[in-house]
């Protein structure tokens, strides 16, 4: 039987479920651990802890900002209520559109005593948070306190906290205290962010950032990566046959380029993992706390962690993508799986104006789960198919019950004959309708953005960016009719400038800058881009499409898509898609993106599957450092002073060399990888890596190994924010 691979989100949800059940695991008491795993190999969801009356134990949940972001990205209000969390402090409220969300009420908010209810804290171990917990205990706000730190609490803070509790005499109120290793935010099944903000890229590349700031960022990054690795293996002991990640093999081999932030992070993470294995009696990576008798698992059965600097390739941070999730992230500014947009109050009467609506795109959204990584034209087709299916199902229910519309149905007003069918189908139909209405509104907003900004224009040009001449680029920048958003033109020019092999003279650059300025673009970022161009040209690896692209002339492309988007927007705005939808959308199929691997995918391929990788990709990663925290030989050393962060090395105070990989280590393959970019991540990179993993897994056949990639960064940043950070660096460069 093929094992069900658990995503990072599955594991984080399972961890949160245990925490919300006061760290009571439904499978922990089972003597036969195979019985506690579902037949499909999935990690079982925690069931609520019950009191003596058989009711869930109600509790108050208190969190800080990071705790709020972690929870709201993977759980809904109903999920929390199902696990016995009262709405005190974690308040549910309605926003236009009927979506339930988590209000930002946290540990810093004013709270009132609820003495008979236990409190569950989920927060970072900071001095300020510990002081607030102590204040709660001293005021007897709640009964028992269950304290869960998102990362490991430093020993000095623990000692101070214990001393304060002892002095206040409140030790009996503390029922539990755990390090949970959950200080990362999961946005998609295998996509995570450390929530460190967009300015992390500035700090890692600015001469004005202090050594203390760099050290703090590196330490926070190492802590987050350690938590990701720990979470990936946390439930491995449940069923080592069913789960893809083995507990004894979850410590990864780590690869990174020499110099820069990537080596600093990798060296410290390697040391942290080594120290944990050696100094923890019950370490997180052994089954039931028992250390394995050997180095535990061959390297190929373990994942590889690839850490790279953001400057390895800036293009994915700026490109105009064509997949659903990337468009939502770029056009609608999705953050923490939430988008806020304006929609018509009444689609049949636009004069009534628009209203702001907030939408959450989560794992319970069947349409988003299926279509997030799909090119947008195919998503539009799927909306039509799902609407047709919904209408057919709704018609069947109304036919059986004798009413004219699904809105006229309710569970109590139907005849007894059809009551069972109504009770079964009506909630599911209404939920499907709400999801499809939401995606209709999202698709409408995306099409309006595509049309107003001519994103189809930019997408098509970027697909063949290296073929653009200097004259063509200058003509496009000067053409007021091709793209009315100055930032889009700036993004396109930077992508061309970083990709082209043509030399650009100072005079030519002046003309480009003049054209951009005339279009209204702020060109401050170009000063920094010029500085890093040589570096990125050395590390970027372009690839030809794996499938031939259907071509079309540019003029026909722009005219054709504009016509299609006009008609499609009209249909969506009217709330109905006709039977001629196939004809309406068919012209877009010629413009689906070609299958091509971007730089980071090429890097990962050369490390995961060197036998199939190109010689140029292998050459780029040939000197990547090799760290194995379980091996006494493959030892990394602590990095030197932060002043070396720009990649400069010296004989005495530079970066430690790590271990140069042997030929066999460089050529070993992996089926699973964690890929991390220091300084900012891109939805394009996540999607491209997932495409590669699926494509190469399919080549292996049904019985072959399945590749899996988890992608993360210090922060997932959209193009507008990244250009803003680059502009800040550009001002410093000037």
């Amino acid at each position: 039987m093929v094992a069900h691979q658990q995503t990072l989100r599955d594991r984080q949800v399972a961890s949160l479920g245990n925490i919300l059940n006061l760290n009571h695991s439904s499978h922990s008491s089972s003597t036969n651990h195979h019985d506690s795993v579902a037949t499909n190999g999935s990690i079982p969801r925690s069931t609520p802890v019950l009191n003596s009356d058989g009711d869930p134990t109600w509790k108050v949940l208190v969190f800080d900002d990071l705790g709020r972001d972690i929870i709201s990205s993977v759980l809904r209000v109903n999920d929390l209520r199902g696990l016995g969390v009262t709405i005190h402090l974690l308040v549910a409220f309605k926003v236009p559109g009927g979506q339930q969300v988590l209000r930002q009420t946290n540990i810093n908010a004013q709270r009132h005593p609820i003495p008979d209810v236990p409190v569950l804290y989920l927060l970072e171990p900071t001095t300020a948070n510990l002081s607030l917990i102590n204040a709660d205990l001293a005021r007897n706000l709640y009964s028992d306190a269950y304290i869960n730190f998102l990362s490991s609490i430093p020993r000095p803070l623990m000692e101070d906290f214990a001393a304060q509790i002892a002095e206040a005499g409140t030790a009996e109120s503390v029922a539990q205290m755990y390090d949970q290793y959950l200080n990362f935010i999961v946005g998609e099944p295998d996509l995570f962010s450390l929530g460190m903000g967009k300015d992390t890229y500035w700090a890692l590349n600015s001469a004005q950032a202090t050594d203390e700031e760099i050290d703090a960022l590196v330490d926070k990054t190492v802590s987050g990566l350690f938590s990701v690795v720990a979470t990936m293996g946390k439930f491995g002991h449940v069923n080592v046959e069913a789960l893809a990640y083995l507990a004894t093999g979850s410590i990864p081999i780590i690869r990174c380029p020499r110099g820069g932030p990537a080596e600093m992070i990798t060296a410290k993470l390697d040391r942290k993992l080594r120290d944990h294995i050696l100094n923890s009696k019950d370490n997180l990576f052994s089954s039931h706390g028992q250390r394995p008798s050997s180095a535990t698992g061959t390297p190929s059965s373990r994942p590889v962690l690839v850490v790279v600097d953001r400057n390895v390739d800036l293009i994915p941070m700026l490109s105009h993508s064509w997949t659903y999730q990337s468009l939502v992230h770029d056009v609608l500014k999705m953050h923490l799986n939430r988008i806020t947009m304006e929609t018509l109050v009444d689609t049949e009467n636009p004069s009534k104006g628009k209203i702001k609506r907030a939408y959450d795109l989560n794992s319970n959204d069947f349409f988003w789960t299926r279509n997030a990584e799909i090119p947008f034209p195919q998503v539009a087709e799927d909306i039509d198919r799902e609407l047709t299916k919904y209408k057919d199902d709704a018609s069947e229910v109304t036919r059986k019950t004798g009413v004219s519309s699904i809105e006229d149905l309710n569970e109590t007003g139907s005849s007894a004959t059809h009551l069972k069918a109504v009770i079964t189908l009506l909630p599911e139909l209404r939920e499907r309708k709400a999801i499809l209405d939401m995606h209709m509104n999202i698709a409408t907003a995306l099409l309006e953005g595509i049309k107003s900004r001519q994103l189809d224009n930019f997408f098509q040009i970027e697909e063949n960016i290296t073929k653009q001449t200097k004259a063509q680029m200058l003509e496009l920048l000067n053409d007021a009719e091709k793209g009315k958003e100055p930032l889009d033109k700036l993004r396109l020019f930077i992508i061309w400038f970083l990709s082209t092999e043509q030399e650009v003279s100072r005079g030519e650059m002046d003309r480009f800058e003049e054209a951009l300025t005339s279009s209204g673009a702020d060109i401050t970022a170009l000063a920094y881009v010029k500085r890093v161009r040589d570096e990125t040209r050395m590390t970027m690896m372009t690839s030809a499409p794996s499938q031939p692209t259907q071509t079309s002339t540019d003029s026909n492309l722009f005219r054709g898509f504009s016509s299609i988007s006009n008609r499609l927007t009209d249909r969506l705005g009217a709330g109905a898609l006709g039977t001629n939808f196939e004809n309406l959308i068919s012209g877009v199929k010629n413009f689906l993106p070609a299958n091509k691997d971007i730089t980071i995918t090429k890097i990962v391929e050369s490390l995961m599957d060197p036998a199939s990788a190109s010689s140029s990709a292998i050459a780029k990663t040939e000197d990547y450092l090799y760290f194995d925290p379980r091996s006494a030989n493959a030892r990394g050393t602590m990095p030197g002073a932060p002043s070396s962060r720009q990649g400069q090395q010296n004989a005495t105070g530079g970066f430690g060399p790590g271990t140069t990989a042997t030929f066999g280590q460089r050529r070993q393959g992996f089926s699973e990888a964690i890929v991390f970019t220091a300084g900012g991540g891109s939805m394009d990179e996540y999607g491209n890596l997932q495409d590669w993993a699926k494509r190469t897994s399919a080549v292996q056949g049904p019985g072959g190994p399945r590749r899996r990639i988890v992608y993360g960064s210090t922060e997932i940043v959209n193009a507008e924010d990244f250009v803003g950070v680059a502009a800040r660096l550009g001002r410093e460069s000037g």
Side-chain angles (χ1 to χ4, degrees), residues 157-343:
L157 273 183
M158 172 67 82
E159 292 175 349
D160 290 344
F161 186 48
Q164 293 173 24
I165 290 176
E167 183 179 351
T170 56
E172 292 184 357
S173 297
V174 179
Q176 293 177 354
M177 189 181 300
Y178 282 98
D179 293 334
Q180 295 291 357
Y181 301 102
L182 288 175
N183 53 326
F184 58 92
I185 302 164
V186 179
E188 294 294 326
D190 281 317
L191 171 71
F192 72 92
S193 160
L194 301 186
M196 295 172 62
K198 61 184 180 182
D199 288 331
T200 304
Y201 181 76
W202 170 85
L204 292 175
N205 293 277
S206 171
Q208 296 183 9
T210 65
D211 290 352
E212 290 75 16
E213 289 175 323
I214 296 296
D215 283 337
L217 286 174
V218 170
D219 289 342
K220 188 170 184 178
T221 302
V222 169
S223 174
L225 280 174
F226 182 91
S227 295
V228 170
V229 173
T231 300
M232 294 298 288
K234 190 177 292 186
F235 291 89
H237 65 273
V238 177
N239 185 347
V240 295
E241 293 180 358
L243 299 182
Y245 254 78
L246 302 180
T248 55
S250 58
I251 291 187
I253 305 295
I254 313 176
R255 303 297 303 275
C256 74
R258 293 180 181 273
E263 186 180 350
M264 296 174 66
I265 291 166
T266 301
K268 282 195 172 184
L269 178 61
D270 174 73
R271 180 59 56 88
K272 186 178 180 72
L273 288 166
R274 289 177 185 276
D275 290 346
H276 179 80
I277 296 169
L278 293 173
N279 300 328
S280 301
K281 183 178 180 181
D282 296 327
N283 78 69
L284 297 167
F285 305 100
S286 62
S287 183
H288 304 292
Q290 299 299 317
R291 299 187 185 184
S293 57
S294 66
T296 237
T298 60
S300 60
S301 70
R302 295 160 58 185
V304 59
L305 169 59
V306 183
V307 182
V308 297
D309 299 326
R310 178 63 274 162
N311 282 349
V312 73
D313 184 14
L314 296 184
I315 288 177
M317 305 301 295
L318 303 164
S319 60
H320 296 87
S321 181
W322 211 230
T323 63
Y324 194 28
Q325 63 185 4
S326 292
L327 278 169
V328 168
H329 194 246
D330 183 11
V331 178
L332 302 181
K333 304 296 185 288
M334 180 174 68
H335 181 63
L336 297 176
N337 287 27
R338 160 161 289 221
I339 57 176
T340 303
M341 51 184 276
E342 291 187 343
T343 60

Side-chain angles (χ1 to χ4, degrees), residues 411-594:
E411 289 87 339
T412 58
S414 302
S415 65
T417 307
H418 303 295
L419 183 60
K420 183 178 180 181
V422 172
I423 291 175
T424 303
L425 295 176
L426 189 56
E428 188 267 339
L429 283 174
R430 285 177 173 167
E431 183 175 0
R432 278 169 58 193
K433 181 63 163 57
I435 289 174
L436 292 175
D437 284 346
M438 176 180 72
H439 285 283
M440 287 274 286
N441 288 331
I442 292 173
T444 303
L446 288 179
L447 280 166
E448 290 174 352
I450 290 168
K451 185 169 66 172
S452 65
R453 293 168 54 184
Q454 296 188 29
L455 297 182
D456 49 321
N457 183 333
F458 294 102
F459 164 72
Q460 179 70 6
I461 294 173
E462 289 169 16
E463 283 282 277
N464 301 283
I465 193 67
T466 56
K467 297 180 181 179
Q468 302 298 313
T469 65
K470 292 183 239 183
Q472 287 173 321
M473 283 302 302
L474 189 60
E475 180 184 359
L476 187 147
L477 296 180
N478 283 316
D479 191 343
E481 297 302 317
K482 287 190 176 179
K484 298 182 180 179
E485 174 58 50
L487 179 61
D488 290 321
K489 287 189 174 182
L490 178 63
R491 288 164 58 181
L492 176 67
F493 174 73
I494 295 175
I495 291 171
W496 175 82
F497 183 61
L498 293 175
S499 303
T500 185
E501 296 182 0
Q502 308 169 59
E503 291 300 325
V504 181
S505 68
R506 183 165 185 173
E508 289 169 334
M509 179 58 73
D510 289 342
R511 288 192 289 274
F512 284 128
E513 292 180 356
E514 182 181 352
L516 285 167
T517 302
S518 298
S519 72
D522 179 359
I523 63 171
T524 311
L526 290 181
Y528 174 73
V529 172
K530 294 175 193 175
R531 199 181 88 193
V532 300
R533 183 185 185 220
D534 291 338
E535 178 185 346
T536 57
R537 289 178 73 183
M538 292 294 292
T539 55
M540 282 170 45
M541 289 173 278
T542 58
S543 67
S546 58
Q547 296 178 357
T549 308
Q550 298 181 17
T551 58
S552 173
T553 62
D554 284 0
S555 59
N556 287 337
L557 168 67
F558 301 147
R559 278 202 307 270
F561 190 86
S562 296
S563 173
I564 289 168
S565 61
N566 273 327
R567 286 180 288 155
L568 186 53
T569 301
D570 292 341
R571 295 281 187 110
L572 287 168
L577 294 175
T579 56
N580 293 325
F581 183 83
E582 179 65 27
N583 295 329
L584 181 67
I585 203 69
S586 60
V588 185
K589 291 180 180 178
N590 291 333
F591 319 128
L592 296 181

